[in-house]
Amino acid sequence: MIDWTPLFISMKTASVSIAITVFLGLFVAWGIIMIKNDTTKVVLDGVFTLPIVLPPTVVGFFLLYIFGVKGPIGSFFINFFAYKIAFSWEATVIAAVVMSFPLMYRSARGAFEQVDSNLVEAARTLGMSEWKIFWKILCANALPGIISGGILAYARGLGEFGATAMLAGNIADLTRTLPIAVYSDVAAGNMGSAFYYVVVIIIISFIAIFFMNYFSIRQGKRWK
């Protein structure tokens, strides 16, 4: 009998995390392209992109250091709200957001930078506010790239393992996501259920890649 709870936990985690990731990715990408100082832009871009190149367990270590019971944020929540973030379902969301954010940020920034700068300058000349320019010019013209980045970030959050294992642990019916369930079943010798989990992950990943490529092609045709 296959336990589909890890699938439900993963879907819930990915759904909540992508809402946060898209919001952060769009506004951080917008903030970066607005910065005029190249050195500042390069440094901040490196910081925001770092989770892509770091091993997930290293990212998980830092998250555990921050959100653990002795960490600055973790201890704050324990002292003031009597709530422990580490090894909770919310920890899976935090790990997914941190690991998927760079993909959303890079996709959004790349899409924004491809928008014709003349459109932005014309909008400013007509008196549009920066907020309206962001929504009606940048986001509207970069929508295929934004959607592509969102799909990729969603798949990344759904498949997150290392940082999640470090911060959220492997608690049945609470923090055991699909990747962690695969690891647990293989370690326990339950290759049959692990195989089913792997198939589900492959199907979801393939669907994500298909739609990502679709919107990438659409974006390429848009700018021809």
Side-chain angles (χ1 to χ4, degrees):
M1 186 66 179
I2 303 299
D3 179 14
W4 293 110
T5 304
L7 173 61
F8 300 142
I9 294 174
S10 291
M11 296 296 289
K12 184 172 69 170
T13 297
S15 298
V16 174
S17 66
I18 192 59
I20 300 172
T21 301
V22 169
F23 176 82
L24 292 177
L26 288 178
F27 285 100
V28 171
W30 181 36
I32 290 295
I33 65 173
M34 295 290 288
I35 295 176
K36 303 301 181 183
N37 187 289
D38 290 337
T39 302
T40 303
K41 184 180 293 187
V42 169
V43 172
L44 290 177
D45 181 78
V47 172
F48 294 135
T49 309
L50 199 58
I52 291 180
V53 297
L54 285 176
T57 50
V58 173
V59 177
F61 171 82
F62 284 110
L63 290 177
L64 190 60
Y65 181 82
I66 295 171
F67 294 98
V69 292
K70 294 183 179 180
I73 297 179
S75 60
F76 173 81
F77 270 80
I78 290 177
N79 293 331
F80 288 91
F81 302 104
Y83 184 79
K84 185 174 71 171
I85 296 178
F87 305 105
S88 66
W89 175 77
E90 287 76 11
T92 67
V93 174
I94 293 172
V97 168
V98 171
M99 295 304 298
S100 62
F101 167 80
L103 298 175
M104 185 66 231
Y105 157 72
R106 299 292 298 186
S107 297
R109 181 183 172 185
F112 287 159
E113 289 176 340
Q114 290 186 40
V115 176
D116 190 350
S117 59
N118 292 325
L119 292 175
V120 177
E121 294 302 325
R124 287 175 178 154
T125 302
L126 293 173
M128 290 183 67
S129 65
E130 292 296 327
W131 181 251
K132 287 186 177 180
I133 290 174
F134 171 71
W135 284 113
K136 295 186 176 182
I137 304 297
L138 287 177
C139 288
N141 286 276
L143 188 59
I146 293 172
I147 294 175
S148 178
I151 293 171
L152 190 60
Y154 180 85
R156 182 65 184 86
L158 192 69
E160 167 52 31
F161 172 74
T164 302
M166 292 286 288
L167 182 62
N170 180 13
I171 305 173
D173 300 328
L174 182 62
T175 66
R176 183 175 294 171
T177 58
L178 277 175
I180 294 177
V182 172
Y183 176 82
S184 299
D185 283 347
V186 170
N190 300 324
M191 301 301 292
S193 58
F195 174 79
Y196 283 110
Y197 292 144
V198 168
V199 170
V200 171
I201 294 174
I202 291 174
I203 292 174
I204 294 175
S205 299
F206 178 81
I207 293 173
I209 292 172
F210 173 84
F211 281 105
M212 182 188 67
N213 289 335
Y214 170 78
F215 284 108
S216 295
I217 293 172
R218 182 178 174 182
Q219 185 182 33
K221 292 180 178 179
R222 187 186 184 94
W223 297 110
K224 286 185 179 180

